Amino acid sequence: MRFVSLPLVAGLAALATGAIAADAPPRGYDAACGSCHENNGYGVQRLAERLGKDKARLSQRTDLPAEYIRGVVRRGFLSMPAMSKVEVSDAELDGIVRELSRRPASRP
Amino acid sequence: MPRALPHDLSPGRFDAALRSFEGVVGKPWVLSGEEDLVPYADAYGLASPGDHAPSAVVAPASAEEVQAIMRLANQHRTPLWPISRGKNYGYGGAAPRMAGTVILDLGRMRRILEVDVARGYCLLEPGVSFYDLYDHLIANRIPLWASTPGNALGSVVGNALEHGLGYTTTGDRAANVCGLEVVLPTGELVRTGMGAMTGNPCWNLYKYSYGASFDQMFMQSGLGVVTKMGCWLMPEPDAALELKMEVPNEEDIGWVIEALAPLRMSGVVQSPINIGNFMRVIMASSQRDQWHRGQGAIPDAMFPEIMKKYGLGWWGVGLMLYGDPDVVRAQAAQVKRAFAQHTPQPFQETWWRRGEPRPPGPTHGVPISFPLRIANWAGPNGGHLGFSPILPPERGVILEQLKRARALFRDFGFDFYGGFTLGERHVNQVNMLAYAKDDPDMVRRARGLFEALMRDAKGRNFGEYRSHLSYMDAVAETYDFNGHALQRLNETVKDALDPNGVLAPGKQGVWPKRYRGKRT
C-alpha cells in the first residue's frame, strides 16, 4: 500500500503535452544510500579516510553483518544521521540488507 | 531520556490523539518508540537533546490525510511540526522547536506530480528530494535543470520554503516557487495564485492571482502545511561557462563584490555568485587535526602554507554564465573587463556544452552530498551551525563585516569558514561554525560565538535570513522596527489562522497565543 498513487485531481488531469509525472518507487540501496555511499559521496569519502579506500564503498563490502547495518541506519553512526522508518521503511531496509549481503561479484 | 510530551497535555490526552492519528494513516505510520524517534533528533545540533525532543511522529500519505490529522490535532490540541525530509542540517534537522511536539513527517508524499517540459516547471510533493528530481529528469531525458544545493539530501520543497540557495539561474529557490497547495491549521485546503481557480492551467506559470498573493506567507512560517509546490526549472542551456579565480588577499573581497554587484543587478550574470574563503575548501575536504593540534583557531601564520598546498587564494570566486555560446562569450567579456580594472590575473574558464556529462555540483544542477563533510572538521562526532546575515554589496560594509566576524571567530577559538553569495542587490554572508558535539567546552564556545555574531550584526542593523531552532526567538527579536511591529503582525495572523495553536509553535520565533509567554 505504500506507494499507491491517488487519482490526480481535476486541475492536474489536463496535463500539457510533454508533461511527465512519476510515482515514487520503493527504495533500494542505490536510492536510499547511494547519494552518500556511492559516487564519491560523503560516506565514501569519510570511510576512505577512516578505513581505507578498499572499504569506502558499501556495495563492495562483505564484512557488514545484517544487524550492524540495521543499527547504523536506525541509530546513525558518528556524523551519519539516523534514517527514519518514513525515509526507509522496515521492508525497504530488509531489501537493502539483502542487497548488501550478496557477494560483490554477483552485484550488478 | 524521559519521553517528552507537550507540557500542557496529559499523557492520556496525548495517547488519545496518537490513537486517532492511527485511524487516519494506519498504525505503522504513527511512531513513538525510543528508536523510532532517534532520527528526529537534531544530529548536528548544539542544544541539549531534550530542548527539541519530539514526542511522536505521524506520517500521512496524502493531502487528504494531512487535512484529517490537522482536524484531529485541533480536537486534541496536539502541536504538530511539519517536515518534508528533515535534512535541514545546521538549522535543526528534523527536530521541532518546542519539546514534545509531534513531527508531521511528509516524507511518504514524494510524488513528482508533473514536469512540464515546454513551460519549464515541475509540481512536487514535499517528500521529493533533489536526488529524486534529478534522477527523474535524467531518466526521462527532460532538458530541464533543477537548482541543487551544496548538500542535496534534502527536500526540494522544504529547501525552497526555507529560502535555500543554488547557483543556476533558478538558484534563488524561493523566487522560483510558483503556486502552492496548502493545508491550513484548521484543516482547510487552499491553492495559492491561479490555482485558486478550479482547473486553471496557469497555476504554476503566474505567481500572483486576483488580490493578495500568499505564497510568501507559507515560507519560513507555521501558517500552513505545503502539500504541493510548483517550482520553475531552468531550460538546459546550449552551453555553460564557469569563470573561476583564486583571489590572493583577504581584503580583495571588497573590490570583488563591488565589481560584480552591477553585473548581477543588470542581469549580465543571471545566477547567484559564490565566493568562499580557502578554509571553506579545506574544511570540506580534510580534518582539523591534519593541520593543527593546538588549542583555538589555526593561526593566521599557517594560512600561506595551507593555501599553497591546495593552490588556493584567500577567496575563490566562481560565477556561471548559461546560454547560447556567443551570448555567453559576450557576457564573459563584460565580467573580465570589470575584473581587469583590479587585477591582471586571468579567470580559469571551463566550458560545458550540451551533450557532455555535467560536472557534479550545484553549478550544473547535479546533486552532491560531500560538502556535509564540514560536520567532521573538528572531530568525528561533529556538528555545524550557520550564521548568515544579509548585507548590502558595498565594499566598506563587506570589509567591516569580514573584519568583525573574523575577530569573533578568533576570540572564540574557531576556524573561519566564510562565504559570500551575491544576489541581484544583496549579499548573503555565510559563516559556518564547525564543532565537536562531544567536547562540552567547544559547544559552549560555539554558542558564545553564535550569540556574539548575532549581537554584532544587530548592532550594525543587519539581520539573519535563516537560523537554527535554538536561536529562532533571538533572531526574531532583532527585527524590531516600531517596537517589533512585525512580530505583532505575525502573532495576529497566527492567532487568526491557528486559534488552537497546533501548527509549528515557535517556528521563526512566532508563538501561538496558547504558548506565548510560556515558552519552553
Side-chain angles (χ1 to χ4, degrees):
Chain A
M1 285 300 288
R2 274 197 319 281
F3 303 112
V4 172
S5 161
L6 293 164
L8 292 178
V9 285
L12 301 176
L15 294 180
T17 315
I20 299 154
D23 283 343
R27 279 159 288 210
Y29 169 78
D30 283 340
C33 318
S35 45
C36 284
H37 287 291
E38 296 292 322
N39 300 320
N40 198 32
Y42 171 51
V44 174
Q45 295 191 12
R46 277 300 291 148
L47 286 167
E49 281 172 343
R50 285 183 44 238
L51 306 175
K53 280 211 161 114
D54 57 324
K55 295 203 167 178
R57 282 177 59 208
L58 297 188
S59 59
Q60 301 303 309
R61 296 276 288 273
T62 55
D63 58 342
L64 298 169
E67 281 319 298
Y68 181 77
I69 297 171
R70 284 181 218 280
V72 170
V73 168
R74 290 293 182 228
R75 303 204 72 95
F77 183 63
L78 295 176
S79 58
M80 171 179 156
M83 296 171 88
S84 72
K85 289 179 181 171
V86 176
E87 188 171 6
V88 179
S89 69
D90 281 336
E92 287 171 326
L93 184 52
D94 289 344
I96 291 165
V97 167
R98 274 196 302 278
E99 269 186 77
L100 287 178
S101 59
R102 269 184 243 136
R103 298 209 49 86
S106 66
R107 288 187 195 125
Chain B
M1 193 167 55
R3 186 183 185 194
L5 291 185
H7 58 85
D8 56 350
L9 290 188
S10 69
R13 194 161 187 203
F14 181 76
D15 286 334
L18 293 194
R19 280 194 300 278
S20 74
F21 294 157
E22 286 174 0
V24 175
V25 297
K27 211 168 173 170
W29 299 112
V30 175
L31 307 168
S32 59
E34 187 267 335
E35 189 177 79
D36 293 334
L37 297 182
V38 170
Y40 298 90
D42 177 13
Y44 299 125
L46 276 172
S48 311
D51 292 357
H52 305 296
S55 52
V57 178
V58 54
S62 66
E64 291 80 357
E65 289 187 3
V66 174
Q67 289 181 273
I69 292 165
M70 199 68 87
R71 292 194 184 105
L72 289 167
N74 274 279
Q75 213 173 305
H76 295 280
R77 294 174 67 81
T78 321
L80 299 172
W81 182 264
I83 62 166
S84 306
R85 279 178 46 79
K87 309 294 182 190
N88 199 16
Y89 298 136
Y91 300 103
R97 167 64 187 87
M98 184 180 81
T101 306
V102 174
I103 303 289
L104 179 65
D105 187 341
L106 306 172
R108 291 173 69 207
M109 297 169 60
R110 55 186 192 100
R111 289 178 304 166
I112 296 168
L113 294 163
E114 185 185 354
V115 178
D116 190 310
V117 182
R119 303 284 162 246
Y121 71 82
C122 57
L123 184 67
L124 304 175
E125 289 189 325
V128 175
S129 75
F130 288 98
Y131 279 91
D132 295 334
L133 180 56
Y134 172 81
D135 289 347
H136 178 78
L137 295 173
I138 293 292
N140 293 284
R141 297 171 183 276
I142 299 171
L144 295 171
W145 290 9
S147 164
T148 58
N151 158 25
L153 298 174
S155 150
V156 181
V157 173
N159 182 284
L161 296 179
E162 290 295 319
H163 301 166
L165 286 174
Y167 300 113
T168 56
T169 57
T170 54
D172 180 353
R173 288 193 198 99
N176 287 281
V177 168
C178 187
L180 299 177
E181 181 187 88
V182 183
V183 176
L184 297 178
T186 52
E188 184 162 33
L189 188 73
V190 295
R191 287 187 177 177
T192 64
M194 302 308 279
M197 183 189 289
T198 308
N200 191 305
C202 300
W203 185 23
N204 309 120
L205 303 179
Y206 178 71
K207 289 181 189 171
Y208 317 115
S209 63
Y210 188 69
S213 303
F214 288 106
D215 283 12
Q216 282 291 330
M217 192 171 83
F218 298 109
M219 297 184 191
Q220 290 202 354
S221 86
L223 299 174
V225 178
V226 173
T227 48
K228 294 182 180 68
M229 183 185 92
C231 174
W232 288 351
L233 303 170
M234 175 170 112
E236 180 171 73
D238 292 320
L241 174 61
E242 182 175 32
L243 294 178
K244 280 180 85 167
M245 190 183 289
E246 292 296 330
V247 183
N249 306 306
E250 185 173 358
E251 61 277 12
D252 288 337
I253 189 69
W255 68 255
V256 166
I257 297 274
E258 219 160 73
L260 290 173
L263 301 173
R264 275 295 277 132
M265 188 168 75
S266 63
V268 172
V269 182
Q270 295 179 0
S271 50
I273 298 175
N274 170 15
I275 305 162
N277 73 337
F278 64 97
M279 283 305 293
R280 196 168 67 157
V281 178
I282 303 298
M283 289 167 76
S285 54
S286 61
Q287 282 189 277
R288 186 175 177 280
D289 58 13
Q290 291 169 240
W291 301 97
H292 182 61
R293 287 178 181 276
Q295 287 290 309
I298 294 179
D300 286 17
M302 283 180 66
F303 290 175
E305 176 203 332
I306 294 173
M307 288 190 273
K308 193 169 170 217
K309 186 162 178 190
Y310 274 64
L312 299 169
W314 227 97
W315 301 101
V317 181
L319 68 89
M320 295 299 300
L321 300 166
Y322 305 95
D324 176 274
D326 290 335
V327 177
V328 166
R329 265 189 290 272
Q331 290 165 326
Q334 274 185 275
V335 175
K336 289 175 194 172
R337 272 201 299 278
F339 264 55
Q341 294 173 24
H342 303 276
T343 177
Q345 202 178 325
F347 278 102
Q348 185 190 329
E349 302 183 28
T350 310
W351 283 90
W352 171 91
R353 283 167 202 276
R354 183 181 288 169
E356 293 173 1
R358 281 151 65 183
T363 53
H364 294 73
V366 180
I368 52 172
S369 64
F370 69 81
L372 198 51
R373 286 190 56 163
I374 172 85
N376 280 292
W377 171 249
N381 194 8
H384 65 289
L385 184 67
F387 176 80
S388 310
I390 301 295
L391 308 172
E394 289 168 26
R395 182 198 298 238
V397 172
I398 297 295
L399 289 174
E400 177 70 10
Q401 176 65 22
L402 175 65
K403 192 176 93 188
R404 299 171 83 99
R406 274 261 280 147
L408 288 171
F409 269 72
R410 205 183 297 113
D411 291 350
F412 284 88
F414 284 93
D415 298 307
F416 179 69
Y417 169 124
F420 293 87
T421 303
L422 183 57
E424 283 173 74
R425 285 171 176 79
H426 78 279
V427 172
N428 182 334
Q429 200 239 322
V430 179
N431 301 273
M432 198 65 84
L433 290 66
Y435 51 90
K437 282 188 300 179
D438 45 11
D439 178 340
D441 174 62
M442 200 185 289
V443 168
R444 188 183 53 74
R445 285 187 285 119
R447 280 208 193 95
L449 173 53
F450 188 95
E451 286 157 19
L453 285 165
M454 192 171 58
R455 267 196 310 275
D456 186 70
K458 169 60 187 142
R460 300 169 63 227
N461 302 321
F462 298 128
E464 264 222 291
Y465 92 104
R466 185 177 183 185
S467 83
H468 187 276
L469 298 169
S470 298
Y471 296 105
M472 282 178 175
D473 289 346
V475 174
E477 182 75 25
T478 65
Y479 286 79
D480 61 357
F481 171 74
N482 191 20
H484 299 90
L486 181 67
Q487 184 69 358
R488 289 196 297 279
L489 172 62
N490 276 324
E491 290 173 352
T492 303
V493 175
K494 179 68 178 164
D495 292 341
L497 295 188
D498 186 8
N500 293 320
V502 293
L503 189 60
K507 171 67 177 163
Q508 240 66 12
V510 180
W511 294 86
K513 197 172 228 160
R514 170 182 173 190
Y515 293 115
R516 208 169 293 150
K518 298 173 228 166
R519 300 169 191 180
T520 54

